[in-house]
Amino acid sequence: MTIMENPLVGTDLGLTGLSGVPHADGPQKAKDYTSDQEVRWCPGCGDYVILATVRGFLADLGLRRENLMFVSGIGCSSRFPYYLEAYGIHSIHGRAPAIATGLAVTRPDLSVWVVTGDGDALSIGGNHLIHALRRNVNMTILLFNNRIYGLTKGQYSPTSEPGKVTKSTPMGSVDHPFNTLSVALGAEATFAARALDSDRAGLTEVLRAAAEHRGTSFVEILQDCPIFNDGSFDMLRKENAESHLIRLHHGEPIRFGADGEFAVVRQGFGMRVVCADTVAESEIVVHDAYAEDPEYAYALSRLSEQDLSHVVTGIFRSVSRPTYDDGVRAQLETAAERKPVREDSLQHLLTGRETWTVS
């Protein structure tokens, strides 16, 4: 196969998501990544917790602030770039992944992040989202999911549960919602994870892995909208929450519950939850985040139910595949080597064969 036939020649699968991104000269603190802008979200919004976690995580990551780029679309979550002392773009509704793709291709020295919401990413932006995942562009996508349109005052969203009563569905939504992780894995995301806003340790763990992954990292963050969808994830925060949260850890059997009394086993092509004492230890699924076949992670994503009886968090999948931006840069380098730029290139362009004389 020649170089022209394979656009991915020249890509290095040994790179990480942060390869080529400069680090700060010394230790950093969360305040170093805090802008002078007043944070303006509704009191009690889960975005505050996520912002605080990201600031602390960026300090631990220690990247130069001028080499961080946060791109957002439209929605409450899309205010995020204003509140970080880094570069950012508050862009167009649903189009943040497209803008981030351009940045990732042309600036390999940047750590590129997309901040979006369930409406912004999965409704008007659904097309851009799945193609960014399919192409495996080196960026990290944070999707804040509160299962409602908050900025436009409480309409149902693509992740709202069936029967949801809102201003736009006064008799209850008849839509079937997206399972966000299933969407990402269906688009063959090379990194897919979920975290809960109030689980700072779990969110930080996922963010670090996402940043270091080379390719498109997709992270869904479940968060509350106290104004239009208050308490939507309370079942995952209050008493008996451990009976509903399934936390994934690579290489460990998937058990959950206060005393590990529940477990996940295979059932046909999928998986199901059982009481751990009713099955042999060998039947309990051992989590493999590095499984090349996306069907395994997809089956895990189907365990999450709209009624929150079971919600899986952690890293579902993390695999290596050539990235779109590495491939594009490799092609440009190859083209430049084959046809060096002429000193009179502009004049040649103007007077070459691709011109016409109109009389």
Side-chain angles (χ1 to χ4, degrees):
M1 181 174 286
T2 67
I3 292 178
M4 282 295 286
E5 291 171 334
N6 183 3
L8 297 177
V9 168
T11 60
D12 183 357
L13 293 182
L15 298 174
T16 72
L18 300 176
S19 295
V21 182
H23 281 69
D25 295 332
Q28 302 293 296
K29 297 180 180 179
K31 66 179 182 179
D32 296 322
Y33 297 90
T34 303
S35 76
D36 60 358
Q37 298 298 300
E38 178 188 0
V39 181
R40 299 182 65 185
W41 284 311
C42 300
C45 178
D47 290 357
Y48 285 100
V49 181
I50 300 171
L51 177 62
T53 302
V54 169
R55 283 171 174 169
F57 158 74
L58 290 176
D60 292 340
L61 206 58
L63 298 178
R64 288 174 55 179
R65 290 171 292 176
E66 55 266 41
N67 292 89
L68 283 167
M69 173 58 77
F70 284 79
V71 184
S72 65
I74 298 298
C76 296
S77 63
S78 297
R79 298 176 185 268
F80 214 81
Y82 296 111
Y83 308 140
L84 291 173
E85 188 64 18
Y87 280 104
I89 299 175
H90 190 176
S91 72
I92 310 168
H93 204 183
R95 273 66 177 179
I99 295 170
T101 295
L103 287 163
V105 170
T106 57
R107 289 291 302 274
D109 61 323
L110 296 180
S111 177
V112 180
W113 298 69
V114 169
V115 180
T116 183
D118 46 304
D120 185 54
L122 294 170
S123 186
I124 190 171
N127 190 47
H128 293 287
L129 175 67
I130 61 172
H131 287 297
L133 295 167
R134 172 181 66 85
R135 287 170 170 156
N136 199 34
V137 185
N138 191 37
M139 68 172 78
T140 300
I141 300 174
L142 306 182
L143 189 154
F144 297 8
N145 183 9
N146 56 18
R147 306 203 294 181
I148 203 76
Y149 276 99
L151 187 67
T152 51
K153 307 300 183 286
Q155 299 85 357
Y156 81 110
S157 86
T159 58
S160 295
E161 63 273 26
K164 185 73 174 180
V165 176
T166 71
K167 293 178 180 179
S168 56
T169 53
M171 297 178 67
S173 169
V174 297
D175 276 9
H176 184 76
F178 275 130
N179 179 317
T180 51
L181 265 294
S182 295
V183 170
L185 292 163
E188 297 198 36
T190 54
F191 183 100
R194 178 186 287 128
L196 185 64
D197 58 357
S198 56
D199 180 10
R200 189 159 187 166
L203 177 55
T204 301
E205 178 184 350
V206 164
L207 289 175
R208 177 171 294 280
E212 293 176 350
H213 175 76
R214 190 161 193 84
T216 305
S217 299
F218 177 84
V219 180
E220 177 192 22
I221 306 174
L222 306 180
Q223 50 101 213
D224 201 29
C225 175
I227 305 302
F228 298 109
N229 203 20
D230 191 27
S232 54
F233 296 109
D234 277 359
M235 190 180 293
L236 307 179
R237 311 178 201 276
K238 296 183 177 180
E239 187 178 353
N240 203 33
E242 294 300 321
S243 297
H244 305 287
L245 271 174
I246 304 174
R247 305 175 194 271
L248 299 175
H249 300 284
H250 176 72
E252 295 183 11
I254 305 179
R255 286 176 169 268
F256 66 103
D259 300 307
E261 63 269 29
F262 302 108
V264 174
V265 298
R266 294 186 180 275
Q267 182 180 46
F269 293 107
M271 299 184 189
R272 66 188 178 97
V273 172
V274 297
C275 291
D277 59 5
T278 64
V279 297
E281 186 69 24
S282 59
E283 293 182 64
I284 299 175
V285 174
V286 176
H287 181 47
D288 183 7
Y290 307 131
E292 283 292 332
D293 204 334
E295 277 82 355
Y296 164 74
Y298 185 85
L300 272 180
S301 75
R302 305 309 296 172
L303 283 171
S304 292
E305 301 292 342
Q306 284 298 315
D307 63 3
L308 305 184
S309 56
H310 302 116
V311 174
V312 185
T313 63
I315 300 169
F316 287 64
R317 188 180 195 229
S318 180
V319 298
S320 294
R321 197 175 80 217
T323 68
Y324 176 83
D325 42 305
D326 284 335
V328 170
R329 287 192 294 269
Q331 283 191 336
L332 292 174
E333 291 172 6
T334 301
E337 290 170 0
R338 290 181 174 181
K339 193 172 183 180
V341 177
R342 295 173 42 166
E343 291 184 3
D344 63 343
S345 57
L346 178 58
Q347 187 62 31
H348 176 74
L349 180 64
L350 293 174
T351 61
R353 289 178 297 176
E354 299 295 330
T355 61
W356 297 265
T357 300
V358 179
S359 59

